Amino acid sequence: MDPIRAIRGMSDILPQDSYLWQHLEQVTHELLDSYGYREIRLPIVEQTQLFSRAIGEVTDIVEKEMYSFADRNGDGLTLRPEGTAGCVRAFNQHGMAGSQQKLWYAGPMFRHERPQLGRQRQFHQVGVEVFGTPTADVEAELIVLSARLWRLLGLDSAVTLELNSLGSNTDRARYRQALVSYLSEHRDQLDEDSQRRLDSNPLRILDSKSPDTQALLAAAPSLPDFLDQESAAHFAELTARLDAAGVNYRLNPRLVRGLDYYNRTVFEWVTDALGAQGTVCAGGRYDGLVEQLGGKPTPAAGFAMGLERLVLLMQELKAAPEPTRQADVYLVAVGEDAAVAGFALGESLRDRLPGLRLQVHSGGGSFKSQMKKADRSGALLALVLGDNELAERSVGFKPLRGGEQRSVSQDALADELKDFFAHEEH
Ligand code: ATP
Ligand code: MG
């Protein structure tokens, strides 16, 4: 029988990589905590209409990337393709409007796209959302917070910030009209996708990868020229804060986001170290979404970052921490009596030294084969138990990375271990 394989685009994260993920997650969670953001945990499956209403019917995600299915009751459900919609749904459902909320969430997202480096069908995001505050200091904080994260992870040399404003809904509508009338005159020069979008979602044409379309866009009307006074002032308040905090950015008038719900600020952190999958973090303001999903009108802003791409970047830049070894101490016991005693000794050491990273050998075997495993575990120290040690109530204390083996009484073992690890710089 052929062995069953994982679904294309849905990867296992193996032990030799999971420590990197844990590092990334821990640094991120601690940073968010230090800025006063609190975690919200959301379901992975939601009603399909949540996403069609939030993200927009005419978007890549809703048109062709969602994993949607009917459950046993015939309800239309979808594996979440992103986290903001569910977060807003929860915000409304639990009556969280009325006070400022600073939230973050983490977990898998699902999109049926063509898998490639940094693009998967199951991928992971950490998302950060702020509800209830209309002012640009919110976006500024989201940006400085992410900039600090890149520094903590050692990625700051490889990412740059792109910034734009989409203006108000009215600004966007006026711009949309101007763009459509310009592009309609050159319809035949547009790539096929862009021709289709000209009627359905013309702003997305700014995102086109086609060189011909991009050339055409060079002379197209520019979004920033359409901002009303308030949106322009909002954008100035944001850049003033970024300048004051020393955060560099590039103004990119063609930056629009793939999701429909943004207004005013949009930003992306991009890298050229990962080929085509250059965006590691993207976000902006979305003042209309809470109301659009049935809640009280509530301003909001947020971003989401792609963890696969950040892990790849950590590996690419060699910014990854050293892999953790499997154990610090490996307990070897030869013979059935010693194995029973070793089993109990392991437990009593764990009682006395909480946090000790101890692996007790399992599976029996000769001294030699057990020592081989002790070595392979990366442990710094082997504890050896055989008939002689049992008779003496002692244990062989054998440093594995240089140093002589000696005999230590079992009563003194906990103190000897403390001593050993206090002196070694590990
Ligand atoms: P892209 O243009 O790369 O498709 P997007 O605009 O669709 O990205 P968002 O919906 O803004 O992406 O998601 C935020 C972040 O999540 C992205 O910047 C990226 O880092 C990550 N991301 C999105 N889709 C994927 C995917 N299929 N695989 C891995 N990471 C992804
Ligand atoms: Mg996409």
Side-chain angles (χ1 to χ4, degrees):
M1 226 192 303
D2 287 341
I4 295 172
R5 298 182 57 85
I7 295 165
R8 194 164 119 79
M10 305 202 181
S11 306
D12 303 307
I13 296 168
L14 300 177
Q16 62 262 31
D17 291 326
S18 60
Y19 80 95
L20 265 181
W21 284 77
Q22 289 171 351
H23 172 73
L24 169 59
E25 287 159 359
Q26 195 188 341
V27 171
T28 306
H29 301 174
E30 284 174 10
L31 176 78
L32 288 165
D33 183 61
S34 78
Y35 275 82
Y37 290 70
R38 294 192 303 161
E39 184 183 13
I40 182 167
R41 299 197 178 199
L42 302 160
I44 287 173
V45 184
E46 298 270 5
Q47 292 190 49
T48 299
Q49 55 168 343
L50 172 66
F51 302 113
S52 39
R53 261 164 74 182
I55 299 170
E57 293 281 357
V58 221
T59 53
D60 285 351
I61 293 181
V62 173
E63 275 184 337
K64 51 190 188 203
E65 295 176 358
M66 292 207 302
Y67 282 91
S68 299
F69 58 97
D71 80 351
R72 288 173 190 277
N73 307 323
D75 296 332
L77 305 183
T78 292
L79 300 186
R80 63 181 184 194
E82 54 98 51
T84 301
C87 195
V88 171
R89 197 254 324 124
F91 176 87
N92 288 339
Q93 184 173 336
H94 302 291
M96 294 164 87
S99 61
Q100 188 189 57
Q101 300 282 344
K102 294 185 164 184
L103 306 173
W104 64 269
Y105 57 82
M109 308 292 160
F110 301 84
R111 297 183 194 177
H112 196 277
E113 318 191 53
R114 195 166 68 77
Q116 47 199 300
L117 186 80
R119 186 176 298 286
Q120 299 194 182
R121 291 180 174 174
Q122 175 175 334
F123 62 99
H124 299 79
Q125 287 183 338
V126 169
V128 183
E129 320 283 3
V130 180
F131 294 102
T133 309
T135 45
D137 45 1
V138 168
E139 293 101 300
E141 180 171 276
L142 292 170
I143 288 171
V144 294
L145 175 164
S146 45
R148 183 174 301 279
L149 181 61
W150 316 142
R151 291 199 296 278
L152 290 172
L153 293 169
L155 303 179
D156 48 311
S157 64
V159 293
T160 55
L161 176 64
E162 305 220 327
L163 202 57
N164 194 21
S165 174
L166 303 176
S168 66
N169 289 344
T170 343
D171 301 340
R172 241 205 310 180
R174 283 194 304 127
Y175 175 67
R176 183 187 154 118
Q177 216 166 28
L179 184 69
V180 169
S181 79
Y182 169 81
L183 290 176
S184 299
E185 287 168 32
H186 309 274
R187 193 181 188 107
D188 46 336
Q189 284 163 259
L190 288 171
D191 61 280
E192 211 176 296
D193 250 3
S194 297
Q195 289 194 7
R196 203 170 46 83
R197 286 183 172 143
L198 194 50
D199 307 310
S200 58
N201 195 352
L203 289 198
R204 291 289 282 151
I205 297 175
L206 300 180
D207 240 5
S208 166
K209 302 272 187 293
S210 148
D212 290 346
T213 300
Q214 279 302 329
L216 199 58
L217 286 169
S222 179
L223 230 174
D225 297 336
F226 287 74
L227 297 193
D228 63 22
Q229 228 171 29
E230 279 126 55
S231 291
H234 184 95
F235 197 62
E237 284 158 21
L238 170 60
T239 52
R241 280 168 177 76
L242 297 180
D243 293 338
V247 176
N248 295 323
Y249 50 88
R250 189 176 85 86
L251 298 178
N252 177 356
R254 289 192 215 158
L255 179 65
V256 288
R257 303 281 312 116
L259 318 177
D260 258 1
Y261 49 60
Y262 289 104
N263 66 299
R264 292 200 168 159
T265 316
V266 286
F267 65 89
E268 288 193 0
W269 286 98
V270 297
T271 177
D272 47 24
L274 295 179
Q277 276 55 251
T279 306
V280 295
C281 174
R285 178 163 284 283
Y286 54 94
D287 291 331
L289 185 60
V290 174
E291 189 178 14
Q292 192 180 312
L293 292 178
K296 298 195 186 101
T298 304
F303 68 76
M305 55 198 206
L307 301 193
E308 276 76 7
R309 293 182 194 179
L310 290 170
V311 167
L312 283 168
L313 203 52
M314 284 162 67
Q315 289 170 324
E316 181 71 28
L317 298 181
K318 312 226 177 326
E322 284 293 302
T324 40
R325 49 183 168 263
Q326 205 174 339
D328 293 332
V329 181
Y330 196 102
L331 194 150
V332 162
V334 185
E336 175 61 11
D337 290 346
V340 172
F343 195 78
L345 179 62
E347 285 307 292
S348 90
L349 285 176
R350 291 188 175 105
D351 289 341
R352 279 179 284 167
L353 302 173
L356 176 71
R357 301 184 63 248
L358 167 69
Q359 191 172 351
V360 174
H361 178 80
S362 57
S366 68
F367 173 74
K368 204 173 148 196
S369 75
Q370 293 193 32
M371 283 306 293
K372 229 187 222 163
K373 290 193 175 122
D375 199 46
R376 237 182 275 148
S377 76
L380 301 173
L381 182 73
L383 299 177
V384 184
L385 218 52
D387 290 339
N388 288 345
E389 286 79 9
L390 273 195
E392 289 175 3
R393 281 194 46 77
S394 69
V395 57
F397 196 93
K398 186 174 170 50
L400 293 171
R401 319 286 154 202
E404 290 295 298
Q405 172 165 350
R406 59 202 168 88
S407 174
V408 167
S409 97
Q410 288 186 17
D411 294 331
L413 184 56
D415 287 335
E416 290 279 352
L417 283 170
K418 265 193 239 163
D419 233 43
F420 179 82
F421 285 104
H423 286 105
E424 299 262 335
E425 280 293 312
H426 313 292

